[in-house]
C-alpha cells in the first residue's frame, strides 16, 4: 500500500484533473491514519509525527490551498516518506 500511495503522490506532480487531487488527499489521509494506528509500534516518535503532519496536510476536510510549486515539494517529500515506510516494512 505504501508503494501505491507513493506512486499516486509522485503522479500528482504532473498536471492532473482537480478530482484526482481530491481523491489523492482522501487516500493519503486515510493511509496516514491507518499507519498511525495500525503500525504505531513500528514507528519512532519522529515517524509518528511525520504521519500526523502528513495527515493534516493532506486532509480532505479542511484542505490547504497552496501553489503548485509548494505542492510539488510536499509531494516529493511525502512520496519519498511513503517509499521509506515500504522499505522499512520489508526489512
Amino acid at each position: 500500500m505504501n508503494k501505491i500511495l507513493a506512486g499516486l503522490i509522485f503522479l500528482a506532480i504532473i498536471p492532473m484533473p482537480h478530482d484526482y487531487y481530491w481523491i489523492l488527499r482522501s487516500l493519503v489521509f486515510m493511509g496516514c491514519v491507518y499507519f498511525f494506528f495500525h503500525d504505531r509500534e513500528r514507528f519512532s516518535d519522529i515517524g509518528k509525527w511525520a504521519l500526523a503532519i502528513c495527515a493534516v496536510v493532506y486532509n480532505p476536510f479542511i484542505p490547504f490551498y497552496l501553489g503548485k510549486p509548494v505542492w510539488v515539494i510536499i509531494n516529493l517529500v511525502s512520496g519519498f516518506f511513503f517509499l521509506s515506510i515500504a522499505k522499512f516494512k520489508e526489512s
Side-chain angles (χ1 to χ4, degrees), residues 9-63:
I9 291 170
F10 288 135
L11 189 61
I13 293 172
I14 62 173
M16 300 294 283
H18 180 72
D19 291 340
Y20 178 82
Y21 297 111
W22 187 86
I23 293 168
L24 178 68
R25 282 178 183 265
S26 301
L27 291 174
V28 173
F29 175 78
M30 289 185 290
C32 289
V33 170
Y34 172 80
F35 291 125
F36 187 84
F37 289 109
H38 184 264
D39 290 339
R40 183 177 208 141
E41 64 281 347
R42 290 187 178 199
F43 290 101
S44 66
D45 287 340
I46 294 172
K48 291 174 191 171
W49 275 104
L51 283 170
I53 290 169
C54 193
V56 168
V57 169
Y58 281 97
N59 87 80
F61 307 110
I62 306 171

